């Protein structure tokens, strides 16, 4: 995602938060008698996506580079860098110039995995480091070559020319997303170019025109298919896509999910999404019967993972929360305590940017789970530690959350 409003994504792209605190997950874990692993996947992680290659399901993530592991690999230290990806960022001291690509978003469909990245540059007038170009790449197999999606990149480049140079691209909104369905047949990937309410720039006001590329359904290196405004909820502020009722549905919320499982006999029966501190839900069979639960999370809910018995909710600066649901998928009207050490790891002031459940057909303590943590550098964040920024995991065979 590239949504360069004054929000968490802009922080992910342009800020590095380096400081330590005296009371953090290390001391929490000692108190709970859980020794911490050495973190192997660090940095800002916006996405974990499913992708099948050679008959095996893999998980892909980005933290500037692109890493992978088999989806059923349930132990520490099994992530490795994807081969053949474009070169990472480097800086030449003598020419005072950058080269390489920093990847900040992933998506996948049934045939391709996609990565959105930027090449940094230096603004000579302001002395600022900022994205010079933003490009989308795709790859068809785990060991395949990563290729530019040329037609989409042309649209991105055109869109960027319409932005105000005085904002240094903080008014840009380029968002890569996918259904990320457990069922491979239901995986589709999209990119939204423009919109998002990032600014009053002209190219953000008209969907699909004057620099605004709208939403495009991706299809490898081809140009993809333009999604008309209003199609199943598609619009200027679309942030996610979910597969239910035998079709893709678009939502204007980062935190969204269903209780779909991998088997074709286990389609989604309930939809969940969050706005501010409220969890909304409705049965797939009756979309008009939406219910809401105000959870008093103190910070906005920005990430979600659905398990067979709970909905996990990550916030923009107050850690993680949990809501149980019954066998039909209907969630409780209030928060529940964790039976794991989740809140000993993910608490204020940590931002839980991403949550991911490997097997949604299993209960929370029976499946593998992933979360990414970061925090803002403020006077109120003295309890945070930069060493905890990065990927965390819960494995059934380990029985606790720990650094990944």
């Amino acid at each position: 995602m590239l949504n360069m409003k004054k929000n968490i994504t802009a922080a992910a792209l342009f800020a590095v938060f380096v400081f330590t605190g005296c009371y953090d997950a290390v001391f929490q874990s000692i108190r709970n008698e859980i020794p911490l692993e050495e973190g192997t996947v660090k940095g800002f992680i916006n996405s974990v996506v499913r992708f099948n290659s050679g008959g095996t399901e893999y998980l892909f993530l980005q933290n500037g580079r692109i890493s992978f592991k088999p989806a059923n690999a349930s132990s520490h230290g099994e992530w490795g860098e994807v081969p053949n990806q474009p070169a990472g960022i480097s800086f030449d001291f003598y020419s005072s110039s950058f080269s390489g690509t920093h990847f900040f978003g992933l998506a996948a469909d049934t045939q391709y995995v996609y990565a959105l990245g930027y090449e940094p540059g230096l603004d000579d007038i302001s002395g600022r480091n900022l994205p010079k170009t933003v490009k989308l790449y795709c790859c068809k197999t785990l060991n395949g070559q990563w290729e530019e999606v040329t037609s989409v990149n042309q649209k991105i480049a055109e869109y960027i020319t319409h932005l105000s140079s005085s904002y240094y691209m903080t008014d840009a909104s380029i968002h890569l997303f996918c259904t990320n369905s457990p069922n491979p047949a239901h995986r589709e990937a999209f990119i939204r170019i423009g919109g998002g309410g990032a600014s009053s720039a002209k190219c953000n006001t008209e969907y699909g025109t004057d620099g605004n590329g709208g939403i495009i359904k991706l299809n490898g290196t081809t140009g993809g298919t333009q999604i008309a405004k209003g199609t199943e909820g598609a619009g200027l502020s679309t942030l996610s896509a979910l597969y239910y009722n035998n079709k893709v549905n678009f939502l204007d919320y980062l935190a969204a999910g269903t209780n779909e499982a991998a088997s074709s006999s286990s389609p989604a029966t309930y939809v969940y999404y969050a706005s501010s501190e409220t969890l909304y839900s409705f049965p797939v069979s009756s979309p008009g019967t939406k219910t809401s639960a105000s959870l008093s999370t103190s910070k906005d809910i920005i990430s979600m993972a659905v398990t067979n018995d709970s909905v996990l909710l990550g916030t923009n600066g107050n850690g993680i929360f949990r809501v149980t649901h019954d066998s039909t998928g209907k969630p409780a009207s209030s928060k529940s305590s964790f039976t794991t050490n989740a809140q000993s790891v993910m608490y204020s002031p940590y931002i839980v940017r991403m949550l991911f459940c490997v097997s949604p057909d299993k209960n929370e303590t029976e499946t593998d789970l992933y979360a990414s943590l970061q925090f803002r550098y403020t006077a109120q964040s003295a309890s945070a530690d930069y060493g905890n920024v990065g990927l965390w995991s819960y494995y059934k065979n380990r029985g606790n959350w720990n650094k990944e």
Side-chain angles (χ1 to χ4, degrees):
M1 180 199 310
L2 179 59
N3 194 348
M4 298 182 199
K5 193 178 176 182
K6 290 183 179 178
N7 60 14
I8 58 169
T9 306
L13 294 179
F14 304 116
V16 177
F17 309 101
V18 184
F19 64 105
T20 60
C22 60
Y23 183 67
D24 55 25
V26 174
F27 293 94
Q28 292 272 21
S29 296
I30 291 172
R31 185 179 66 183
N32 292 320
E33 299 182 354
I34 297 172
L36 284 181
E37 300 277 10
E38 180 68 28
T40 61
V41 186
K42 301 179 180 180
F44 301 141
I45 300 153
N46 297 318
S47 43
V48 169
V49 299
R50 310 171 192 270
F51 180 66
N52 284 16
S53 178
T56 299
E57 178 158 286
Y58 294 93
L59 304 180
F60 282 65
L61 64 77
Q62 49 59 231
N63 61 347
R65 305 296 291 154
I66 307 169
S67 296
F68 77 102
K69 69 182 292 189
N72 62 1
S74 300
S75 59
H76 176 75
E78 297 193 64
W79 294 91
E81 280 204 2
V82 170
N84 303 320
Q85 61 184 292
I89 290 178
S90 62
F91 180 76
D92 186 280
F93 177 81
Y94 296 102
S95 64
S96 296
S97 62
F98 291 95
S99 62
T101 301
H102 177 95
F103 289 105
F104 57 88
L106 296 179
D109 56 25
T110 57
Q111 297 294 323
Y112 296 88
V113 59
Y114 304 88
L116 189 62
Y118 68 87
E119 300 172 4
L122 178 67
D123 183 88
D124 293 331
I125 297 175
S126 67
R128 296 170 181 254
N129 296 331
L130 71 164
K132 180 174 61 178
T133 58
V134 179
K135 292 183 178 180
L136 181 68
Y137 294 82
C138 71
C139 187
K140 197 166 186 177
T141 64
L142 176 63
N143 295 305
Q145 295 296 319
W146 287 81
E147 301 180 75
E148 286 193 35
V149 185
T150 304
S151 60
V152 171
N153 291 340
Q154 290 171 345
K155 292 179 183 294
I156 293 174
E158 167 66 14
Y159 166 71
I160 289 174
T161 66
H162 289 260
L163 300 175
S164 172
S165 60
S166 62
Y167 286 106
Y168 304 102
M169 284 188 64
T170 60
D171 58 343
S173 183
I174 306 169
H175 183 57
L176 179 67
F177 60 106
C178 62
T179 57
N180 217 10
S181 171
N183 185 334
H186 298 164
R187 295 175 190 166
E188 296 184 20
F190 306 87
I191 190 169
R192 172 171 57 76
I193 304 171
S199 77
S200 59
K202 187 177 181 182
C203 57
N204 279 337
T205 60
E206 295 296 330
Y207 183 96
T209 64
D210 195 24
N212 185 320
I215 297 173
I216 301 169
K217 178 182 175 181
L218 299 173
N219 183 24
T221 56
T222 70
T225 304
Q226 183 85 37
I227 303 296
K229 184 179 181 180
T231 303
E232 306 301 344
L236 287 167
S237 300
T238 294
L239 291 171
S240 60
L242 299 177
Y243 191 94
Y244 60 89
N245 272 341
N246 299 312
K247 65 182 187 299
V248 173
N249 300 267
F250 297 99
L251 291 88
D252 293 350
Y253 308 96
L254 274 175
T258 74
N259 63 345
E260 179 188 23
S263 171
S264 58
S265 62
S266 300
T269 61
Y270 239 90
V271 176
Y272 314 90
Y273 65 93
S275 177
S276 186
E277 301 177 45
T278 301
L279 175 65
Y280 297 89
S281 62
F282 59 85
V284 168
S285 60
S286 183
T289 58
K290 179 178 67 176
T291 59
S292 63
S294 181
L295 302 179
S296 300
T297 56
S298 178
K299 300 290 185 178
D300 289 351
I301 300 166
I302 59 170
S303 59
M304 176 185 295
V306 181
T307 77
N308 189 54
D309 61 352
S310 66
V311 181
L312 305 184
L313 304 165
T315 68
N316 187 16
N318 197 29
I320 192 171
F321 294 87
R322 174 180 186 258
V323 174
T324 60
H325 66 76
D326 64 20
S327 59
T328 70
K330 182 178 180 179
S333 59
S334 60
K335 298 171 294 194
S336 298
S337 299
F338 282 88
T339 60
T340 68
N341 66 326
Q343 283 187 310
S344 294
V345 167
M346 292 172 270
Y347 57 94
S348 177
Y350 286 106
I351 298 167
V352 184
R353 176 177 294 279
M354 179 279 303
L355 285 167
F356 181 84
C357 174
V358 175
S359 302
D361 58 325
K362 297 179 181 179
N363 289 347
E364 180 185 335
T365 57
E366 300 295 312
T367 186
D368 293 343
L369 300 161
Y370 296 94
S372 66
L373 301 188
Q374 71 174 84
F375 60 92
R376 294 183 182 85
Y377 179 31
T378 67
Q380 288 73 40
S381 60
S383 62
D385 187 333
Y386 183 71
N388 297 325
V389 172
L391 191 66
W392 290 69
S393 61
Y394 172 90
Y395 297 130
K396 175 187 174 181
N397 56 15
R398 188 178 60 201
N400 62 68
W401 284 87
N402 215 314
K403 290 182 180 181
E404 181 60 11

